[in-house]
Amino acid sequence: MTAMDSEKARAANWFRQLRDEITRAFEQLEDSHEMGPLSDFAPGRFDMEKTQRSSGDGSDAGGGEMCVLRNGRVFEKVGVNVSVVYGTLGETARRAVASRGVPGMDAGLEFWASGISLVAHMQNPHVPAVHMNTRMFWTPGTWWFGGGCDLNPSIEYEDDTRHFHATIKAHLDGHGDDQYPRLKKWADEYFHIPHRNRARGVGGIFMDDQNTGDWEADFALTRDIGKCLLPAYVPLVKRRRTMDWSESDKEKQLVYRGLYAEYNLVYDRGTKFGLASGHDANAVLMSLPPIAKWI
Amino acid sequence: MTAMDSEKARAANWFRQLRDEITRAFEQLEDSHEMGPLSDFAPGRFDMEKTQRSSGDGSDAGGGEMCVLRNGRVFEKVGVNVSVVYGTLGETARRAVASRGVPGMDAGLEFWASGISLVAHMQNPHVPAVHMNTRMFWTPGTWWFGGGCDLNPSIEYEDDTRHFHATIKAHLDGHGDDQYPRLKKWADEYFHIPHRNRARGVGGIFMDDQNTGDWEADFALTRDIGKCLLPAYVPLVKRRRTMDWSESDKEKQLVYRGLYAEYNLVYDRGTKFGLASGHDANAVLMSLPPIAKWI
């Protein structure tokens, strides 16, 4: 395996481009919300903060940019992180990867990883929460892509679920008819909460350890996972953001967010890897809801 | 190792007795709160619910009783669980125990465990949250006790911390002068949040895998860990519950609770064991705050 410097740069740049496109579109959603609940608030804006990974030994370990929009008219809290981290895998992180049986992981502990990660928690409980992330991982013996997105409504609308899945499918079908079913099935398994014996939300797609040997094809697939977020999600926001909600709707949303936090803290691979590899905890846990309840 | 039926019964009974004593004392705190914030609320009362562990194969796996008091004048949410569970250790639970290097764990996968677990989240942000649990664990090759308690203020008062630690020390000194320092040090290590590089609260005591070979002595030590909760904690509640609080005090408490939830979901051994061994998720996660924030 070469150092793949040009591939790494292309992937990292693309994650940043996607971040710019999404944050722009989300701020437009804030601007265009001129009627309905909370439209008298000021339109929300993203704040950007640099984040650092700590290597433990003082060497450069990379970092990222955390963009968060809080207390908007439409978004209660949405975070979009990008990062480029590198160094030597610690024991916990190495074991987490090795336990998945990724071949080539014994060629060395050096690593490089870059990705984008997004979670949106909404003001209006009729608007579903959403999650998306895509990433590239490199070690001296191998590389792979991972990523996915899933829809997390606290009040379910069949129409929304159908639109979300249809849009994703349309983006993936160009990579072969088997991709959407394969990645949907993986999401059904991955976004499952064993201790509650239920799905986290209404599904989506997920993949990890994606390496067909054809880096260009795998990168293209990864890009399409990222690209489908806006067309799959923005129409749902527009459709639901003007609906009135009751106190019990909001309560339902807060309790659902408790469940969401449980999933992320107990099972989510990105969270585990982030905490175990010393990345800025605020960036890793950006996905946690602004406020949540447990009954 | 024998089946230790009489020891098991004594331990399980004692945990239930302690539960009764604590719930009675906490309801008295609700009754006696007649002046100050929220004293116009009705005094809170515990609700009891039976909980079941699922063995996965339909065999009897034990269960427990979950007592929760919600929306009181003093307690916002306090849960006191007792349980007696048994059966065969699943792979995840077995690995969790084996990774601690407990000797005798290879004599068989049969297990029996009983314990009490308490977490109190308070209305008044000046009153610290508190946690206590003690437990006995048995397998064909060994047995041990575990337990601890720690204080979790969102607004710190040195006086409170001093009283809490001094009361615990007084209870443990009868078991040897080295016990309090040993268990305090263990708590400092155990109730530490690596990804935030900070202590969860202001400490307390913790022990696990306690087996000196003298079951009576270890049981007596365990009982004293449980017994110190009321004298260590009740005076702090009485001292702080009449204080007025501001919105920013409450905000601070909610953000602190987010941190508390992080700890419990990512690191807490009891939570990990409970979720991995199929106990009722609501009972295992009773420790989670009624409402929490992440900034």
Side-chain angles (χ1 to χ4, degrees), chain A residues 53-54 61 83-98 100 105 109-115 135-139 144 190 208 264-280 284-285, chain B residues 195 266:
Chain A
R53 194 177 81 87
S54 151
S83 63
V84 179
V85 298
Y86 40 83
T88 306
L89 277 181
E91 188 46 29
T92 321
R94 192 199 59 77
R95 256 186 293 155
V97 174
R100 303 210 305 266
M105 278 304 293
L109 291 176
E110 199 193 337
F111 83 100
W112 177 97
S114 178
R135 57 194 173 278
M136 176 185 160
F137 199 94
W138 173 95
T139 67
W144 69 84
Y190 181 68
D208 208 350
N264 276 27
L265 291 168
V266 179
Y267 302 109
D268 186 76
R269 285 183 189 178
T271 305
K272 278 189 191 303
F273 179 80
L275 295 181
S277 66
H279 200 80
D280 185 308
V284 177
L285 298 176
Chain B
H195 66 266
V266 179

Side-chain angles (χ1 to χ4, degrees), chain A residues 105-279:
Chain A
M105 278 304 293
D106 43 5
L109 291 176
E110 199 193 337
F111 83 100
W112 177 97
S114 178
I116 178 171
S117 161
L118 173 156
V119 177
H121 296 286
M122 311 307 287
Q123 292 280 17
N124 193 323
H126 295 288
V127 183
V130 76
H131 151 259
M132 183 277 291
N133 92 75
T134 55
R135 57 194 173 278
M136 176 185 160
F137 199 94
W138 173 95
T139 67
T142 186
W143 54 265
W144 69 84
F145 289 97
C149 64
D150 72 314
L151 196 67
N152 296 275
S154 50
I155 300 170
E156 293 185 22
Y157 293 98
E158 256 183 59
D159 274 11
D160 291 2
T161 306
R162 202 176 308 125
H163 171 83
F164 190 76
H165 278 277
T167 310
I168 294 173
K169 183 173 183 308
H171 278 73
L172 296 195
D173 279 353
H175 301 275
D177 285 355
D178 56 333
Q179 293 292 8
Y180 170 73
R182 180 174 79 95
L183 270 52
K184 179 189 182 304
K185 182 163 173 283
W186 202 335
D188 288 343
E189 289 158 9
Y190 181 68
F191 298 114
H192 181 260
I193 309 180
H195 67 266
R196 301 280 183 191
N197 195 24
R198 59 161 283 178
R200 170 166 100 170
V202 295
I205 47 171
F206 183 78
M207 69 175 192
D208 208 350
D209 313 330
Q210 173 78 18
N211 176 336
T212 60
D214 180 345
W215 187 89
E216 288 295 344
D218 293 336
F219 182 39
L221 173 64
T222 304
R223 287 200 308 274
D224 270 322
I225 293 176
K227 275 190 224 165
C228 71
L229 191 265
L230 288 176
Y233 185 59
V234 167
L236 312 187
V237 179
K238 289 187 172 162
R239 186 191 282 174
R240 304 287 165 209
R241 67 181 169 174
T242 52
M243 290 174 75
D244 287 323
W245 70 82
S246 66
E247 219 176 290
S248 88
D249 292 334
K250 191 70 194 178
E251 179 78 12
K252 207 172 164 184
Q253 185 195 41
L254 297 188
V255 171
Y256 176 77
R257 285 181 185 168
L259 185 88
Y260 191 89
E262 278 175 28
Y263 178 87
N264 276 27
L265 291 168
V266 179
Y267 302 109
D268 186 76
R269 285 183 189 178
T271 305
K272 278 189 191 303
F273 179 80
L275 295 181
S277 66
H279 200 80

Side-chain angles (χ1 to χ4, degrees), chain B residues 2-129:
Chain B
T2 67
M4 296 179 71
D5 288 334
S6 125
E7 287 87 348
K8 288 174 185 167
R10 283 174 60 203
N13 283 339
W14 192 80
F15 296 134
R16 202 171 294 110
Q17 264 173 46
L18 180 64
R19 189 270 316 272
D20 292 343
E21 196 183 322
I22 289 172
T23 52
R24 207 158 39 230
F26 281 5
E27 289 189 346
Q28 278 164 12
L29 282 172
E30 286 289 321
D31 290 336
S32 62
H33 183 55
E34 293 177 323
M35 274 173 57
L38 305 190
S39 54
D40 52 328
F41 276 38
R45 284 295 174 259
F46 278 95
D47 281 329
M48 192 204 283
E49 211 180 292
K50 299 271 181 191
T51 60
Q52 290 294 325
R53 193 177 80 88
S54 150
S55 61
D57 64 6
S59 62
D60 180 19
E65 289 167 357
M66 170 166 65
C67 287
V68 184
L69 186 163
R70 292 180 180 86
N71 300 316
R73 296 157 145 185
V74 179
F75 294 92
E76 192 171 324
K77 179 185 171 193
V78 50
V80 192
N81 288 349
V82 292
S83 63
V84 180
V85 296
Y86 39 84
T88 306
L89 278 181
E91 188 47 29
T92 321
R94 193 199 59 75
R95 254 186 294 155
V97 174
S99 71
R100 303 210 304 268
V102 177
M105 278 304 295
D106 43 5
L109 291 177
E110 199 192 338
F111 83 101
W112 176 98
S114 178
I116 178 172
S117 161
L118 172 157
V119 177
H121 296 286
M122 311 308 287
Q123 293 280 17
N124 193 323
H126 294 289
V127 183

Side-chain angles (χ1 to χ4, degrees), chain A residues 195-196 281-282 290 292-294, chain B residues 195-196 281-282 290-294:
Chain A
H195 67 266
R196 301 280 183 191
N282 284 319
K293 285 193 170 188
W294 283 271
Chain B
H195 66 266
R196 300 281 183 191
N282 285 318
I291 180 161
K293 285 192 170 188
W294 282 272

